Amino acid sequence: MAPRLCSISAAARLWLGALGPRAGDVAAAARFYSKDNEGSWFRSLFVHKVDPRKDAHSTLLSKKETSNLYKIQFHNVKPECLDAYNSLTEAVLPKLHLDEDYPCSLVGNWNTWYGEQDQAVHLWRFSGGYPALMDCMNKLKNNKEYLEFRKERSQMLLSRRNQLLLEFSFWNEPQPRVGPNIYELRTYKLKPGTMIEWGNNWARAIKYRQENQEAVGGFFSQIGELYIVHHLWAYKDLQSREETRNAAWRKRGWDENVYYTVPLVRHMESRIMIPLKISPLQ
């Protein structure tokens, strides 16, 4: 019977044996393992094996002692309507904030100064998580004043979008601030699967950005565009921002955080924002 094409000749076996057991082992491994086999010896040389996790990153990274859910809204306003939009917003939203029957509160309200122009940004907190959000939504369906507000507001907008967020456990919880301040919203779009690594690095690094109380809040998206991180910072002015950020680079360890987190980012954006009159963060 003709020899099989995949067999190794006697001469070849002698040659492999002359090279010693290591070369023979490699040749045997090459015959035994397929490159399509996920557990192959070759793949194990190059593929980093991640330990399986039993919890979602939202459970591992969010605060356990609270059940707060956040909603961030981005409203792109017609340029000629921005003043009217701000006036309408300032007349209606505080009523929801102060009404104890609604389990929601304003965290901050801003206009974008540098970044996307003619834009309003609103950050809400729902105390009680998703049930609080649904309770609030159901009540607003029967709130005639709010429905009129939305109808009038719709005439002033070019587009709008929102996201539901959780707060990182190692960040400050946003608290009302006395102004005047400017605020920077730094938004990072991460590579899918890197949120845990991002959180681990920032849990160590946030201490380098606390001396001037500039850290306001850190959030990651749950619904809407995913793998989005928002860091909210407060500064007295742009010069203070520059000095504070430069000071961080003089602290040992901050450069390591940047080194390890930059490769996780696909896109990043910075907005400088001015608080509206009604914003608890002034």
Side-chain angles (χ1 to χ4, degrees):
M1 183 173 65
R4 295 173 61 186
L5 293 177
C6 61
S7 63
I8 299 177
S9 67
R13 283 197 297 270
L14 289 173
W15 180 78
L16 287 171
L19 292 177
R22 181 171 298 178
D25 290 345
V26 171
R31 291 196 306 273
F32 183 77
Y33 289 108
S34 165
K35 71 176 183 178
D36 294 327
N37 186 340
E38 292 185 358
S40 73
W41 178 78
F42 291 106
R43 287 177 60 87
S44 69
L45 291 177
F46 304 104
V47 178
H48 174 65
K49 294 183 179 179
V50 179
D51 293 333
R53 297 188 181 275
K54 297 181 180 179
D55 296 303
H57 67 247
S58 59
T59 303
L60 296 170
L61 295 174
S62 60
K63 292 186 177 180
K64 306 296 187 298
E65 66 274 14
T66 67
S67 56
N68 290 333
L69 179 70
Y70 292 82
K71 179 171 73 173
I72 192 167
Q73 299 173 303
F74 299 95
H75 291 171
N76 293 318
V77 185
K78 296 176 182 178
E80 67 274 15
C81 296
L82 186 59
D83 289 340
Y85 170 93
N86 288 340
S87 297
L88 181 64
T89 296
E90 291 169 347
V92 176
L93 296 190
K95 296 179 182 180
L96 297 177
H97 174 73
L98 297 172
D99 193 334
E100 295 182 358
D101 196 38
Y102 289 86
C104 62
S105 57
L106 290 173
V107 177
N109 311 81
W110 303 269
N111 285 149
T112 300
W113 183 22
Y114 286 102
E116 206 163 345
Q117 297 293 283
D118 302 308
Q119 185 181 71
V121 180
H122 305 286
L123 183 62
W124 294 85
R125 180 191 292 117
F126 295 88
S127 301
Y130 291 107
L133 172 68
M134 297 307 299
D135 183 29
C136 193
M137 289 179 59
N138 290 331
K139 288 175 179 176
L140 288 175
K141 291 177 182 178
N142 299 312
N143 186 323
K144 293 182 180 180
E145 183 180 12
Y146 182 76
L147 294 176
E148 286 297 321
F149 158 73
R150 288 195 58 177
K151 183 177 180 180
E152 186 175 354
R153 185 188 66 182
S154 67
Q155 305 302 313
M156 304 176 182
L157 298 181
L158 294 171
S159 65
R160 59 193 179 100
R161 60 187 175 91
N162 58 24
Q163 296 167 355
L164 292 181
L165 315 170
L166 294 176
E167 56 186 329
F168 284 110
S169 59
F170 46 86
W171 268 78
N172 308 332
E173 184 171 338
Q175 299 294 335
R177 292 193 179 211
V178 177
N181 294 295
I182 63 171
Y183 289 82
E184 181 176 18
L185 183 66
R186 295 179 72 86
T187 300
Y188 305 87
K189 183 173 184 179
L190 304 186
K191 299 175 183 177
T194 61
M195 188 67 74
I196 296 291
E197 188 175 354
W198 176 275
N200 288 340
N201 281 286
W202 267 96
R204 295 188 294 268
I206 190 63
K207 62 184 178 182
Y208 303 117
R209 299 295 308 274
Q210 296 279 21
E211 289 183 3
N212 295 326
Q213 298 183 336
E214 68 267 26
V216 178
F219 313 91
F220 57 99
S221 62
Q222 282 291 282
I223 296 180
E225 190 173 8
L226 299 178
Y227 283 95
I228 301 297
V229 170
H230 298 290
H231 290 176
L232 184 61
W233 309 92
Y235 306 100
K236 291 300 180 184
D237 51 38
L238 289 175
Q239 183 60 35
S240 171
R241 172 186 177 274
E242 180 75 3
E243 293 170 358
T244 300
R245 288 175 57 80
N246 287 340
W249 283 100
R250 295 192 289 270
K251 297 173 184 175
R252 185 176 181 179
W254 174 251
D255 56 339
E256 293 182 8
N257 174 60
V258 175
Y259 176 81
Y260 286 115
T261 55
V262 164
L264 311 180
V265 178
R266 283 186 168 176
H267 176 76
M268 59 187 297
E269 181 180 6
S270 170
R271 290 176 176 84
I272 302 296
M273 308 184 301
I274 304 297
L276 299 183
K277 295 176 183 178
I278 61 171
S279 178
L281 290 169
Q282 284 295 311

